[in-house]
Amino acid sequence: MWKEFKSFALKGNVLDLAVAVIIGAAFGKIVSSLVEDIIMPIIGLIIGGINLSDLTFTYGNAVLKYGVFLQTVVDFFIIAFSIFMAIKLASKFKKKEAVKAEVAETPEPAPEVELLTEIRDLLKQQERGV
């Protein structure tokens, strides 16, 4: 059982996933800070100095903090858009690398193939000349 777990845990996909989760968490913190500290104050200024996080509705003893919810929704959309753009950019670079790899991987033809190609070309020239 230990060997099976070890082979599972050390597979490339599991390690890649672990790294992705850690980087994703750090990226999420960066984007959250961007939203909370830069974007939301600008939006607040545009809509008249309203801080969305402070929006509440009180009914009796219950306080509904719908501003915090709106802030979280905006955070989600900005994080989702940022991740979308990062993935789109990464896939664009991946496609360029794949094209370069295909060009680099194009093997030179074997000498026999080159010889046969030359013979074919000479036969075509003779047919045209006759």
Side-chain angles (χ1 to χ4, degrees):
M1 187 168 171
W2 175 251
K3 287 181 183 180
E4 289 179 33
F5 175 73
K6 185 178 174 183
S7 69
F8 169 77
L10 296 179
K11 281 185 181 178
N13 294 342
V14 174
L15 294 175
D16 291 344
L17 180 61
V19 170
V21 168
I22 292 169
I23 290 175
F27 185 72
K29 289 181 182 181
I30 291 170
V31 174
S32 293
S33 175
L34 172 71
V35 171
E36 291 173 13
D37 301 328
I38 296 174
I39 294 174
M40 289 312 294
I42 292 171
I43 290 174
L45 287 173
I46 291 172
I47 61 174
I50 298 172
N51 183 357
L52 291 179
S53 296
D54 295 336
L55 297 177
T56 60
F57 178 76
T58 305
Y59 185 76
N61 290 337
V63 178
L64 300 173
K65 298 180 180 181
Y66 68 94
V68 175
F69 174 74
L70 292 175
Q71 177 73 36
T72 304
V73 170
V74 171
D75 286 351
F76 169 77
F77 282 116
I78 292 173
I79 290 170
F81 181 74
S82 300
I83 291 172
F84 169 76
M85 292 305 291
I87 290 172
K88 189 171 182 171
L89 182 65
S91 68
K92 185 176 181 180
F93 284 126
K94 205 173 211 181
K95 285 180 186 177
K96 285 182 181 180
E97 289 176 9
V99 169
K100 286 180 184 178
E102 286 179 13
V103 170
E105 289 179 5
T106 306
E108 290 193 28
E112 297 86 13
V113 174
E114 287 183 24
L115 182 60
L116 290 171
T117 304
E118 288 178 23
I119 292 171
R120 181 200 64 206
D121 294 343
L122 288 172
L123 289 171
K124 283 184 182 179
Q125 286 177 358
Q126 284 180 354
E127 287 176 5
R128 289 184 201 145
V130 172

